[in-house]
Amino acid sequence: MKRRQFLGLLGAAGITATLGTATKAQASTHTFNGYPEAKGVLFDETRCIGCRKCEAGCNKVNKLPAPAKPFTDLTVLDHERRTDEKTYTVVNKYRGKNGTVFRKVQCNHCQEPACASVCFVHAFTKNPDGSVTYDPSVCVGCRYCMVACPFYIPAYEYSDPLTPRVMKCTMCHDQIQSGEQNMPGCVAACPKEALTYGRRADLIEIARERIRRNPDRYVHHIYGEKEMGGTNWMYISGDPFKDIGFNEELGEKSVPDIAAGPLSVVPMVAALWPALLGGIWAISKRKEKVSEDEQKAAVKAARAEVRAQDEAKLAKAMENAERDKDQAIEREVKRALDEAAEAAKKEAEAAAKKDANDDGGEGA
């Protein structure tokens, strides 16, 4: 199991126990082996042709919005998709050992569903017929189910601001219970019998028999027989499961089994929580005070540095101005002296010329 998955499961389950709503199954080490007569679906990857008729059947039975592209448009298979609030099942395309192969994706209806185990208002129910259903009337929108699901299936109606729901495949539970359908819509729509609906125990025997009769055709494993405590939607494949988008590292323990040990310390954690939060608050306030003091000191130092730089610039400017003034005075004094000397020279020349004229007149 990925670290993010485990932490998500543990956190959600811890909150459930703290609020006093954890069930006995959640806090015990007992493993639920499923309802004896529970139904399920077996998907055979070697028979799937990627026609998307299962998607169309699911859409019709569940009265879901029409997709952006019609179900006959197979170009959507060029990109790997996941289920969402408007699409309960999708078909993805992969490169298999002998060419292109396809895999159907939907809720796997775990025997001990993670979504139900972490939901403290019991919005999810594991039914005796094997399906996992959802009651929007009690849902508070916490979305722990989305974090906890190891298969990333539950989707939230973010587009609905008033009454958003968590949406996923229900194995057509309501339609089958009412008699509207005798099997899930996707199973009824499959033209190649890649999907088989029946008792889970019988499906396991069917899968084993197919593998026994065609050992070279199938991987010798039924995915979902034991993964995460077992699922009611199971798979057989001619290619390694990791090559067609499956997580092979989930293990065989269910979510309640995984969370049972950590949940035993939840009461102690709940008791210590106020002190822990108080300590975190004190540390946070101390960090804020230190940060504020450091910021003030940095601002003060910056201001002093700017002031010193301004004073130096002013002193330099004044020095340059004083020098310019002295140089200007020197230039003016020199110009005045030059002008006075020039005037004196002209006067002397004029006087000399006059004297010469006077002397010439007397001689005549």
Side-chain angles (χ1 to χ4, degrees):
M1 177 171 289
K2 302 295 185 182
R3 183 172 62 121
R4 185 186 75 82
Q5 292 175 333
F6 177 75
L7 292 177
L9 295 176
L10 179 57
I15 292 175
T16 301
T18 302
L19 293 176
T21 58
T23 64
K24 181 178 180 181
Q26 289 171 320
S28 72
T29 57
H30 171 69
T31 298
F32 175 61
N33 293 319
Y35 294 102
E37 299 302 314
K39 299 292 184 65
V41 177
L42 175 66
F43 171 77
D44 189 334
E45 175 249 41
T46 67
R47 298 185 178 188
C48 182
I49 59 174
C51 63
R52 298 185 65 202
K53 291 188 183 299
C54 56
E55 293 185 32
C58 173
N59 180 275
K60 180 180 178 180
V61 171
N62 290 285
K63 299 177 175 62
L64 298 174
K69 294 183 178 181
F71 292 108
T72 54
D73 187 346
L74 302 184
T75 61
V76 299
L77 300 177
D78 294 338
H79 303 281
E80 187 169 4
R81 299 174 294 155
R82 59 159 294 174
T83 59
D84 57 35
E85 71 278 9
K86 299 177 181 178
T87 310
Y88 291 173
T89 187
V90 296
V91 175
N92 284 324
K93 180 170 65 174
Y94 300 91
R95 176 60 58 185
K97 61 184 180 181
N98 295 318
T100 300
V101 295
F102 305 92
R103 171 206 164 190
K104 182 179 180 298
V105 182
Q106 72 298 302
C107 174
N108 287 327
H109 299 275
C110 304
Q111 300 248 67
E112 292 186 276
C115 54
S117 69
V118 302
C119 183
F120 58 87
V121 295
H122 305 295
F124 287 91
T125 301
K126 178 65 177 181
N127 301 299
D129 68 354
S131 63
V132 177
T133 53
Y134 164 76
D135 182 359
S137 66
V138 298
C139 179
V140 297
C142 66
R143 287 162 284 175
Y144 292 153
C145 54
M146 296 173 62
V147 177
C149 179
F151 302 107
Y152 308 106
I153 294 299
Y156 196 64
E157 289 183 320
Y158 290 100
S159 60
D160 187 342
L162 299 178
T163 56
R165 298 168 296 172
V166 175
M167 307 296 283
K168 72 172 195 67
C169 161
T170 63
M171 208 187 292
C172 294
H173 169 80
D174 292 340
Q175 294 87 338
I176 293 174
Q177 292 297 310
S178 67
E180 180 183 342
Q181 295 276 131
N182 60 5
M183 63 178 64
C186 58
V187 178
C190 182
K192 293 295 182 179
E193 297 185 353
L195 299 168
T196 305
Y197 177 68
R199 281 180 69 245
R200 183 177 187 273
D202 295 337
L203 294 177
I204 292 175
E205 292 303 319
I206 291 173
R208 288 174 179 170
E209 182 64 14
R210 289 185 188 176
I211 294 172
R212 186 186 68 80
R213 290 186 176 184
N214 303 278
D216 297 331
R217 183 177 184 182
Y218 294 100
V219 174
H220 291 203
H221 179 66
I222 305 171
Y223 192 96
E225 180 182 7
K226 296 181 179 179
E227 277 77 9
M228 294 303 298
T231 62
N232 285 73
W233 208 290
M234 296 173 292
Y235 305 81
I236 53 177
S237 170
D239 294 272
F241 286 101
K242 63 181 178 61
D243 293 345
I244 56 173
F246 285 92
N247 185 349
E248 294 185 317
E249 300 178 357
L250 293 178
E252 297 182 359
K253 287 188 176 181
S254 65
V255 170
D257 279 349
I258 294 171
L263 281 178
S264 64
V265 302
V266 167
M268 178 181 68
V269 172
L272 295 176
W273 200 245
L276 177 62
L277 291 179
I280 293 174
W281 179 83
I283 292 173
S284 176
K285 297 301 290 183
R286 172 61 180 164
K287 289 176 65 177
E288 290 178 3
K289 181 66 169 58
V290 171
S291 177
E292 183 180 354
D293 292 343
E294 290 177 349
Q295 185 177 10
K296 288 181 178 178
V299 171
K300 184 177 180 181
R303 286 177 177 174
E305 183 179 355
V306 171
R307 189 181 301 113
Q309 291 176 354
D310 290 344
E311 291 176 353
K313 290 179 180 179
L314 179 61
K316 184 68 175 177
M318 292 180 66
E319 180 183 348
N320 292 337
E322 188 69 24
R323 185 177 64 253
D324 292 342
K325 184 180 72 173
D326 292 342
Q327 291 176 353
I329 293 173
E330 289 178 1
R331 287 194 300 270
E332 290 299 319
V333 169
K334 184 176 181 302
R335 186 171 63 82
L337 291 174
D338 290 343
E339 290 177 353
E342 184 66 22
K345 180 180 177 181
K346 289 181 178 180
E347 289 178 359
E349 291 176 350
K353 185 176 181 180
K354 181 179 181 183
D355 289 345
N357 292 335
D358 291 344
D359 291 342
E362 292 178 355

